[in-house]
Amino acid sequence: MAVDSTLPSAVGATGSEKDAKPLLFIEEMTKNVDSDQERVLGEILTRNGETEYLKRFNLNGATDRETFKSKIPVVIYEDLQPEIQRIANGDKSPILSSHPISEFLTSSGTSAGERKLMPTIHEELDRRQLLYSLLMPVMNLYVPGLDKGKGLYFLFIKAETKTPGGLLARPVLTSYYKSEHFKNRPYDPFNVYTSPNETILCPDSIQSMYAQMLCGLIMREEVLRVGAVFASGLLKAIRFLQVNWKQFAHDIETGTLNPKVTDPSVRECMNKILKPNPELAAFVTKECSEENWERIITRVWPNTKYLDVIVTGAMAQYIPTLEYYSGGLPMACTMYASSECYFGLNLKPMCKPSEVSYTIMPNMAYFEFLPHESSAPELSRDSPPRLVDLAVLQVGKEYELIVTTYAGLCRYRVGDILKVTGFHNAAPQFRFIRRKNVLLSIDFDKTDESELQQAIENALVLLKEFNTSVVEYTSYAETKHIPGHYVIYWELLVKDAANAPTDQFLSQCCFEMEESLNVVYRQCRVADSIGPLEIRVVKNGTFEELMDYAISRGASINQYKVPRCVSFTPIMELLDSRVVSKHFSPALPHWKPERRR
């Protein structure tokens, strides 16, 4: 068994008593994983034993694992939706949690295209804050001197709504950034941002981006790390600089803020920071006016030691672009979290992106794991799965993550597929493999095969008047350009060449597909973090060639299925060499902030 226990010997290497305590906490938490997990489950069941949900399964006060596993079913979001809707509508009885639900954290969409509502309680903020407090002590083991400068992080809040019962529904990071934990965080020289709180908390994302980028330019020589939550967010910021550098240079030269930034709190805080600096304005003009933007991050922020972005899972597609813009700076993936629960952290944050593994902290929730086999049948109520506990996982195996949280989720399938890469002390370390069933993702969006199929079927309605159908299709997430966009390859059967679909109609098919995709995709399109969907029509016979290629590489002709998403370079080259026309969505799909019923 591969065991990593490098932190204890490194505790003294930081030279910081302040760091020693959190590092020792990590060591203690990872040594007694099984007993800690048993304790956490006991606390959750003791606390929530009288809730309507748990009473339904006749636990009768039992808090042991065996009873819990034998009586409580494994569930997905749709199983809990009736209870969650009652809470959203104002039912304050203890349905899922004995503690009052403080708000809902919105997650990616349901099968109906709406955002999921994840219940949370006030004390969960303490757990999230605890995990955040561990990140810099670990990073200080690998990167010295981070207290000598600042971090340029592009952080944003998103739209929030209220449920009929009056509870807020918003993304987990919006909840955190608006909390007192973040707004009134104590000064820490290792964790100082260039962006004032007012710029992060600005509800207008364009004004927020503008002010945060301007602060980063003004403090360019103080910046030691550059980051965003996801790689796509950092690339969006670089694109924003490309588009707006002339206005930034003007603001810096004159010491006056762009009048398009109208938020009063942002203008007030920027007036304290922005002073006339013709020399800096000339520098920005010189660097940004060049056609070649290779290494632009290190050219503009020369003291940057690393990028702090998530580049695992679907975000791995952005690594080559980030390497181009940064000159190959290390990319640190520090934490693993979701709306359902914060899970753990990367104890070797400066490793290569392909080697990132997260250590789940056993105090955050009770964790179980479903062994994942791609060919295995879906779970059924008649054959309940035998889940595996955190402490007894096997290196090299893949598992689906199941959580039981203090906020009331019980044996909930998160949908993440993880691979065990080793152990830190007794705690397994995981590589994030993918989201279960997700085909396409550019930013926060997650589109699965059923959604894509339904979108295509809706678009095909438009082709009926041309007596045309789609023979086959596949897709991929194009991320070489900013923003990235979905590409759909269609092979068409045109039954009447004299009445072939026009370019205008095929563009309208793109729009119809976008209208059919989930609310998260449409929100990202409206926010310009995803570009217009593209259909590439390929020559007839292209998908037969694709099958021939797969068979030549060992695929069984009896079992071959057209992949609904592709990324393998030779396949991409084959498809692109057969393209006869390209069509783009001509307009933004409909989106407005959801109103909870």
Side-chain angles (χ1 to χ4, degrees), residues 166-226:
L167 288 173
L168 282 172
R170 54 191 180 180
V172 62
L173 289 175
T174 297
S175 171
Y176 178 67
Y177 297 148
K178 285 192 165 187
S179 72
E180 297 304 312
H181 288 72
F182 180 80
K183 292 190 291 185
N184 296 322
R185 61 195 183 279
Y187 173 77
D188 179 356
F190 288 94
N191 211 4
V192 179
Y193 298 149
T194 55
S195 301
N197 283 359
E198 293 85 349
T199 65
I200 296 171
L201 297 173
C202 175
D204 186 306
S205 61
I206 301 300
Q207 295 185 49
S208 176
M209 175 76 85
Y210 192 95
Q212 291 190 60
M213 180 63 78
L214 186 55
C215 288
L217 293 171
I218 292 169
M219 304 177 209
R220 60 178 290 268
E221 295 191 3
E222 298 178 69
V223 170
L224 299 182
R225 57 197 190 278
V226 175

Side-chain angles (χ1 to χ4, degrees), residues 9-292:
S9 62
V11 168
T14 66
S16 168
E17 292 184 13
K18 179 175 175 293
D19 283 351
K21 185 175 180 180
L23 292 174
L24 287 172
F25 174 80
I26 292 172
E27 291 307 299
E28 291 304 314
M29 274 290 116
T30 55
K31 286 178 179 176
N32 305 299
V33 169
D34 200 46
S35 59
D36 283 332
Q37 281 282 275
E38 190 170 29
R39 173 185 56 79
V40 166
L41 180 62
E43 289 175 358
I44 292 172
L45 295 180
T46 299
R47 171 188 295 187
N48 294 333
E50 293 302 309
T51 60
E52 177 184 318
Y53 184 78
L54 284 181
K55 286 172 71 175
R56 187 180 304 165
F57 302 105
N58 300 313
L59 283 179
N60 298 321
T63 61
D64 62 285
R65 281 190 278 202
E66 290 71 21
T67 305
F68 173 75
K69 288 172 179 284
S70 67
K71 294 194 172 186
I72 305 300
V74 176
V75 297
I76 59 175
Y77 182 79
E78 284 74 14
D79 296 323
L80 301 178
Q81 210 162 5
E83 287 79 13
I84 288 172
Q85 196 61 55
R86 284 172 53 201
I87 299 170
N89 289 340
D91 190 333
K92 298 187 184 302
S93 60
I95 298 172
L96 297 175
S97 169
S98 63
H99 285 213
I101 300 301
S102 56
E103 62 181 314
F104 287 105
L105 304 177
T106 55
S107 185
S108 53
T110 66
S111 57
E114 296 181 352
R115 288 185 186 273
K116 297 175 184 176
L117 293 175
M118 293 297 165
T120 191
I121 56 180
H122 278 298
E123 72 175 52
E124 283 299 316
L125 276 169
D126 297 327
R127 289 189 187 85
R128 292 176 213 141
Q129 182 59 44
L130 171 62
L131 203 58
Y132 281 123
S133 73
L134 303 177
L135 301 183
M136 288 311 296
V138 172
M139 185 62 74
N140 290 337
L141 293 172
Y142 299 92
V143 185
L146 292 176
D147 58 333
K148 309 302 182 188
K150 300 180 179 181
L152 170 54
Y153 284 82
F154 296 97
L155 307 176
F156 304 93
I157 61 172
K158 295 207 167 194
E160 58 186 35
T161 59
K162 281 197 172 182
T163 69
L167 288 173
L168 282 172
R170 54 191 180 180
V172 62
L173 289 175
T174 297
S175 171
Y176 178 67
Y177 297 148
K178 285 192 165 187
S179 72
E180 297 304 312
H181 288 72
F182 180 80
K183 292 190 291 185
N184 296 322
R185 61 195 183 279
Y187 173 77
D188 179 356
F190 288 94
N191 211 4
V192 179
Y193 298 149
T194 55
S195 301
N197 283 359
E198 293 85 349
T199 65
I200 296 171
L201 297 173
C202 175
D204 186 306
S205 61
I206 301 300
Q207 295 185 49
S208 176
M209 175 76 85
Y210 192 95
Q212 291 190 60
M213 180 63 78
L214 186 55
C215 288
L217 293 171
I218 292 169
M219 304 177 209
R220 60 178 290 268
E221 295 191 3
E222 298 178 69
V223 170
L224 299 182
R225 57 197 190 278
V226 175
V229 178
F230 292 109
S232 57
L234 182 53
L235 289 175
K236 184 176 181 180
I238 297 301
R239 175 61 178 163
F240 193 86
L241 178 60
Q242 283 183 306
V243 172
N244 296 285
W245 65 263
K246 290 182 181 178
Q247 187 60 53
F248 288 131
H250 175 270
D251 291 6
I252 293 169
E253 183 173 23
T254 62
T256 58
L257 183 61
N258 187 333
K260 291 183 179 179
V261 179
T262 58
D263 185 283
S265 61
V266 173
R267 293 198 69 87
E268 182 180 352
C269 78
M270 292 304 297
N271 285 338
K272 300 174 185 177
I273 296 171
L274 183 58
K275 307 297 179 187
N277 190 337
E279 184 180 348
L280 177 57
F283 170 83
V284 171
T285 299
K286 176 182 177 297
E287 291 296 337
C288 295
S289 62
E290 292 187 13
E291 185 174 337
N292 181 8

Side-chain angles (χ1 to χ4, degrees), residues 84 102 144 250 285 334 354 415 447 516 519:
I84 288 172
S102 56
H250 175 270
T285 299
T334 56
S354 60
T447 299
S516 304
V519 66

Side-chain angles (χ1 to χ4, degrees), residues 453 576 589:
Q453 176 66 32
D576 283 330

